[in-house]
Amino acid sequence: MKSDRTKQGIERAPHRSLFRAMGYTDEEMNRPIIGIVNSKNEIIPGHIHLDTIVDAVKAGVRMAGGTPMEFSVPGVCDGIAMNHEGMKYSLVTRELIADSIECVATAHAFDALVMIPNCDKIVPGMLMAAARINVPTVFVSGGPMLAGKYGDKRLSLTNMFEAVGAVAAGKMSVEEVDAMEQCACPTCGSCSGMFTANSMNCVTEVLGMGLPGNGTIPAVYSARIALAKKAGMAVMDMLEKGICARDIMSEKAFENALAADMALGCSTNTILHLPAIAHEAGVSLDLAKINKISERTPNLCRLAPAGDSFIEDLEAAGGIQAVLAELAKKNLLHTDLPTVTGKTVGENIARAVNRNPAVLRPSDNPWSETGGIAVLFGNLAPNGCVVKRSAVASEMMKHSGPARVFDSEEATFAEIQKGGIKPDDVIVIRYEGPRGGPGMREMLSVTAALAGRGLDKQVALITDGRFSGATRGASIGHCSPEAAVGGPIALVREGDRISIDINAYSVHLEVSDAELASRKAAWQSPPPKVTHGYLARYARMVSSADKGAVLS
């Protein structure tokens, strides 16, 4: 066992004395040591309850003959960090999480790991660490929140952000917003729609790194506790069989993940995280491949914010395994791949049943014949930009309009709130990328303010920053190269015409090559927004969004 280097032989007597200082017995030390990576804190609703998940995982490990040892990692709540300086610290925690897990797990020679994430950057950060460390690893998330209810309307966090715009437009009263606020987020768990957290937990299940149910069993269901116990037992089985993380996270597994991503209509943030995770696993995942998979994969789900269904509805419909079974009918899935269950993908889905075709469309009756995410290319984004097309109104799939140019999220939000954005405008928000932000902020407040004013079907938005999974509308992010390194988005001027054709994967700035070259020659790099601390180091080291915004 790997942990023997910390506990076997006379030369390890000092090490064993330290274990004894914590009350560990000879029996516990003689068993495999399983690191339990706990992201519980008291600031993220998806993490407030993770101590109960951890206790269940530990029980499972002990039942299967292992000794669990818990350690923690940091996390940021994107909703609470939204629309202020705090959001610059969200994406950057992904690397902190991966690095901290690598440090602790390697320093203490754990034999295997169970990762317990739930929200946003914590899930991909842990997946990156799992690929990097490459020991037997199982994921079990904390599960999704139940949808809220206001009168006869079901709610999610999206509704609260959009309500802010509705109040500014005079479409809703402050009293109505207060009443909604009381019931929009009724339980602990990751926010109830197909936002980034739930997208990544579902993708983890598809990759084969989480047990069936990992992405969809609600946080407050007893089945979530049972799943956690099974995760503890499963990692011991993996250890006995010598199955490690990279044995599961293969190139074909990432292709499965992307196919499910397209079927589910996941957050655009998956197109930032999956390349970063693949990079750690030694797998190349470029944006052109994503479009190829999107072209052949039907979109089967329209969960909030794209529709009126929620993650709890997908669970009732059969969960992720039912989604995979639908894809397998069209031969869109590699079914011979290993998973943490000890069975193949095909064996896992053998008994999966689609119990609600209204929530999970059959593969022969999809919402659309192409996937929920598209990567656009053109002279404005030579290296690509990303849109959640399943959440774009049909009338906005093709759009052309004048550029309204802003150099920060704050300036954009202020202009929307005062009514300065008009139908047909194409908002350009730049210097918000990985390096320029720094930290590539999510801009849910901006997109929700547009939706609250009813402009999400009339106005497009393009940025080198990114969007929350709760965003809907023609919101195009990850524009690469970013403005801070002189990408074409830095050269856009107020009033320039921008043309977007989502189904043709095209975004074009209607300016001549000669004029762009002239603007490029005159462009000067702006001074960094942050000059000290972690953000400054991050800005110096981070790669482009099309490369997953990984650190070099």
Side-chain angles (χ1 to χ4, degrees):
M1 290 187 295
K2 189 174 182 180
S3 62
D4 285 350
R5 68 187 67 171
T6 69
K7 60 189 185 181
Q8 292 296 318
I10 186 62
E11 68 276 10
R12 296 297 184 246
H15 305 63
R16 291 193 296 272
S17 72
L18 293 171
F19 280 116
R20 296 185 194 284
M22 295 179 279
Y24 289 109
T25 65
D26 288 333
E27 291 80 4
E28 288 173 303
M29 283 188 277
N30 287 332
R31 294 172 178 173
I33 305 299
I34 312 301
I36 311 298
V37 191
N38 183 8
S39 58
K40 177 196 162 54
N41 59 45
E42 296 181 350
I43 192 61
I44 306 178
H47 293 237
I48 189 74
H49 66 301
L50 291 188
D51 51 345
T52 61
I53 304 297
V54 168
D55 287 344
V57 169
K58 290 177 180 177
V61 169
R62 291 189 181 106
M63 282 189 284
T67 297
M69 294 186 183
E70 176 186 342
F71 65 97
S72 60
V73 295
V76 166
C77 177
D78 282 12
I80 295 173
M82 194 71 66
N83 199 27
H84 61 90
E85 184 183 17
M87 180 46 73
K88 294 183 178 182
Y89 286 88
S90 172
L91 177 61
V92 304
T93 61
R94 188 186 71 182
E95 271 57 36
L96 278 178
I97 291 162
D99 290 350
S100 64
I101 294 170
E102 176 193 359
C103 290
V104 175
T106 306
H108 299 96
F110 291 123
D111 294 302
L113 298 167
V114 180
M115 306 278 196
I116 305 170
N118 212 26
C119 293
D120 297 301
K121 309 310 139 328
I122 295 93
V123 186
M126 287 186 173
L127 283 166
M128 290 166 70
R132 192 183 298 176
I133 299 164
N134 197 33
V135 297
T137 306
V138 175
F139 278 67
V140 56
S141 76
M145 183 185 293
L146 296 179
K149 192 170 184 182
Y150 177 61
D152 60 356
K153 181 178 176 61
R154 296 170 80 197
L155 302 177
S156 71
L157 182 65
T158 301
N159 300 96
M160 294 313 305
F161 277 96
E162 292 182 0
V164 175
V167 169
K171 296 182 177 183
M172 185 178 289
S173 69
V174 173
E175 290 73 22
E176 286 178 290
V177 174
D178 180 67
M180 287 173 60
E181 178 187 328
Q182 306 301 321
C183 53
C185 299
T187 74
C188 62
S190 48
C191 294
S192 56
M194 188 53 80
F195 311 150
T196 304
N198 291 324
S199 294
M200 289 307 305
N201 285 324
C202 291
V203 164
T204 299
E205 185 176 334
V206 179
L207 274 173
M209 294 297 293
L211 297 172
N214 179 71
T216 56
I217 297 173
V220 294
Y221 283 14
S222 58
R224 177 61 57 179
I225 300 299
L227 187 74
K229 292 176 183 176
K230 291 177 183 177
M233 292 185 277
V235 80
M236 295 300 297
D237 184 57
M238 289 179 70
L239 179 61
E240 182 178 345
K241 294 175 178 176
I243 301 171
C244 294
R246 287 199 191 187
D247 297 324
I248 293 172
M249 285 195 277
S250 64
E251 182 176 2
K252 289 183 177 180
F254 281 98
E255 290 175 1
N256 280 356
L258 285 169
D261 191 334
M262 300 305 163
L264 289 164
C266 289
S267 164
T268 53
N269 280 317
T270 59
I271 308 304
L272 192 66
H273 299 318
L274 281 172
I277 299 160
H279 173 76
E280 296 290 354
V283 173
S284 176
L285 197 62
D286 63 70
L287 297 187
K289 175 181 242 183
I290 291 168
N291 275 348
K292 289 179 182 177
I293 292 174
S294 183
E295 272 295 292
R296 65 176 184 250
T297 308
N299 178 224
L300 306 180
C301 296
R302 291 284 168 93
L303 304 178
D308 298 322
S309 299
F310 297 84
I311 300 296
E312 64 192 83
D313 302 316
L314 180 57
E315 165 63 15
I320 297 305
Q321 300 303 305
V323 175
L324 298 183
E326 291 290 351
L327 293 176
K329 292 176 184 177
K330 294 284 189 179
N331 295 316
L332 295 171
L333 207 64
H334 302 290
T335 58
D336 58 342
L337 305 183
T339 72
V340 296
T341 65
K343 300 177 181 178
T344 65
V345 172
E347 289 170 329
N348 286 341
I349 66 174
R351 295 186 178 181
V353 176
N354 183 349
R355 295 190 288 266
N356 189 345
V359 171
L360 170 56
R361 289 279 188 95
S363 55
D364 59 0
N365 182 33
W367 285 99
S368 68
E369 294 292 342
T370 54
I373 289 178
V375 182
L376 315 185
F377 295 91
N379 68 343
L380 185 56
N383 295 346
C385 52
V386 183
V387 63
K388 185 173 182 174
R389 75 172 145 193
S390 61
V392 179
S394 58
E395 55 264 47
M396 290 299 295
M397 297 299 285
K398 193 171 183 179
H399 181 80
S400 182
R404 299 296 313 281
V405 183
F406 303 91
D407 288 347
S408 72
E409 177 189 3
E410 290 84 356
T412 314
F413 185 74
E415 187 71 6
I416 294 170
Q417 289 297 83
K418 75 178 186 181
I421 300 299
K422 306 301 181 186
D424 292 332
D425 283 349
V426 179
I427 298 171
V428 175
I429 310 176
R430 60 194 182 190
Y431 299 105
E432 290 286 7
R435 183 173 297 183
M440 202 179 181
R441 287 190 285 184
E442 286 184 351
M443 302 191 195
L444 177 57
S445 291
V446 168
T447 58
L450 286 172
R453 286 178 168 270
L455 291 172
D456 57 303
K457 297 181 180 180
Q458 298 174 300
V459 172
L461 192 159
I462 186 164
T463 179
D464 54 7
R466 62 193 178 93
F467 298 109
S468 165
T471 288
R472 60 187 173 98
S475 302
I476 303 165
H478 309 193
C479 187
S480 301
E482 64 174 292
V485 299
I489 193 172
L491 311 179
V492 183
R493 292 181 180 172
E494 188 83 5
D496 285 347
R497 198 156 194 87
I498 295 174
S499 297
I500 300 159
D501 190 337
I502 292 174
N503 284 331
Y505 305 104
S506 171
V507 58
H508 193 75
L509 177 62
E510 305 292 348
V511 173
S512 70
D513 291 345
E515 174 62 17
L516 284 177
S518 174
R519 293 182 188 181
K520 175 70 173 178
W523 178 81
Q524 293 183 341
S525 177
K529 295 177 183 176
V530 180
T531 57
H532 69 282
Y534 179 59
L535 280 181
R537 295 196 301 275
Y538 179 89
R540 289 194 299 268
M541 300 169 66
V542 70
S543 72
S544 178
D546 62 293
K547 303 298 183 185
V550 297
L551 298 186
S552 57

